[in-house]
Amino acid sequence: MRVAVDEVVFEVTARPGASRRGVIGLSSERLVVAVHSPPDKGKANDELIDYLAREMRVPRSALLIVRGVTSRRKTIRVVTHEPIKVASRLRKIANPK
């Protein structure tokens, strides 16, 4: 995860077509997230962005897939005025202990 003045950038591995939606864990510094939708016409990407926005409590429009739109391995950027708060929420999502 990279935290800058007005953004947070992190890596995700998406698992489309899963029976349960949510964070599965971490895999080599990537957040592994399962979604119900199939990888068809951007449905899985939309569900992934919706899920992450809700979990991080930011508007959906603040999240952008900057790399890996057609791949399971994605780089996601969150544009925010509170990057420390967003990074903290992301850490809690990744480690729900």
Side-chain angles (χ1 to χ4, degrees):
M1 175 177 12
R2 293 180 303 277
V3 180
V5 174
D6 62 349
E7 70 181 13
V8 176
V9 179
F10 61 99
E11 308 290 324
V12 172
T13 299
R15 297 268 172 95
S19 60
R20 297 164 88 200
R21 182 170 81 170
V23 174
I24 297 173
L26 290 171
S27 174
S28 67
E29 297 300 315
R30 288 180 171 271
L31 188 65
V32 181
V33 181
V35 293
H36 296 300
S37 300
D40 182 41
K41 298 178 185 169
K43 292 178 185 176
N45 285 342
D46 287 342
E47 185 179 350
L48 176 66
I49 293 297
D50 284 340
Y51 173 77
L52 291 172
R54 194 170 338 175
E55 290 295 315
M56 288 190 284
R57 299 181 199 125
V58 296
R60 186 186 192 288
S61 61
L63 279 88
L64 177 68
I65 299 174
V66 293
R67 191 177 320 137
V69 172
T70 60
S71 171
R72 289 178 185 240
R73 297 176 60 150
K74 301 174 186 309
T75 302
I76 300 194
R77 184 175 87 193
V78 183
V79 178
T80 179
H81 295 293
E82 300 176 318
I84 301 300
K85 193 179 279 188
V86 169
S88 175
R89 288 184 188 132
L90 188 56
R91 284 186 194 97
K92 286 180 184 175
I93 294 167
N95 300 310
K97 293 178 185 173

